Amino acid sequence: MDIGHPRSPLIKLRELDVPLEESWQDIRDLDVYDVTDEQIGSVADLYVDRETRLPSYLVVSAGGFLGVAKKHFLVPVEEVSRDVGEERVTITVPRDKVLNSPEFGLDLGVPAGDLQRAIDAYYGHR
C-alpha cells in the first residue's frame, strides 16, 4: 500500500482468509445470463467488502476463445440474482449493457475508487 492512498475496502474473494457471511454467496464459475435469458459469460471472481464479508461486485468474464481475448466487466451485486436450482446467476439488465460497460483489467487487482464510482453510476447505483 502506498503512503497517502487509503486501502480499498474490497478484496477478491479468493484472497479473503475468512468465509463469506453466507456460503451460497460464492457464485464463482457460475454462468451469467441477462434478463432475456441470453448468456453473457461466467463469474470469474467476486470483490467482497473486507469488513462485512458481503459481495460488492462480480467480475463477469465474456467473449474470447479458449481463454484468449476474454474481456472482464464489473457488475454491482444489486444487479444480480441467483437461481440456486439452475446453478447460474441472472443480471437484471440486457447483455449489451454489460458488454458496453467499462472494461476491467482482472490483473490490475482491486478496482480503483474512480472505476468503482464509474461502474456504480453506469448502473445507476449509489
Side-chain angles (χ1 to χ4, degrees):
M1 179 169 72
D2 294 336
I3 296 175
H5 296 284
R7 185 174 177 187
S8 172
L10 300 179
I11 187 169
K12 284 183 182 179
L13 179 57
R14 65 180 154 86
E15 296 172 0
L16 191 63
D17 57 358
V18 293
L20 287 172
E21 188 67 27
E22 300 288 340
S23 62
W24 60 266
Q25 293 170 328
D26 186 353
I27 56 175
R28 290 174 294 180
D29 300 322
L30 294 183
D31 289 333
V32 177
Y33 288 81
D34 73 357
V35 292
T36 64
D37 209 34
E38 187 173 356
Q39 187 170 5
I40 299 171
S42 62
V43 180
D45 212 335
L46 291 166
Y47 279 96
V48 177
D49 185 289
R50 289 177 189 271
E51 295 173 12
T52 65
R53 298 190 331 249
L54 293 172
S56 294
Y57 299 95
L58 42 44
V59 179
V60 175
S61 178
F65 180 72
L66 299 175
V68 177
K70 279 195 179 236
K71 295 181 179 182
H72 298 92
F73 306 93
L74 289 175
V75 178
V77 295
E78 294 90 349
E79 296 295 332
V80 179
S81 66
R82 177 174 180 187
D83 185 341
V84 178
E86 294 188 34
E87 289 298 316
R88 66 186 241 176
V89 296
T90 301
I91 295 182
T92 62
V93 297
R95 179 178 190 268
D96 288 344
K97 180 150 181 117
V98 175
L99 298 180
N100 289 321
S101 69
E103 284 185 47
F104 171 66
L106 194 57
D107 57 334
L108 297 178
V110 175
D114 58 341
L115 178 59
Q116 291 177 41
R117 287 186 292 280
I119 295 295
D120 291 340
Y122 180 80
Y123 286 99
H125 295 283
R126 299 182 188 105

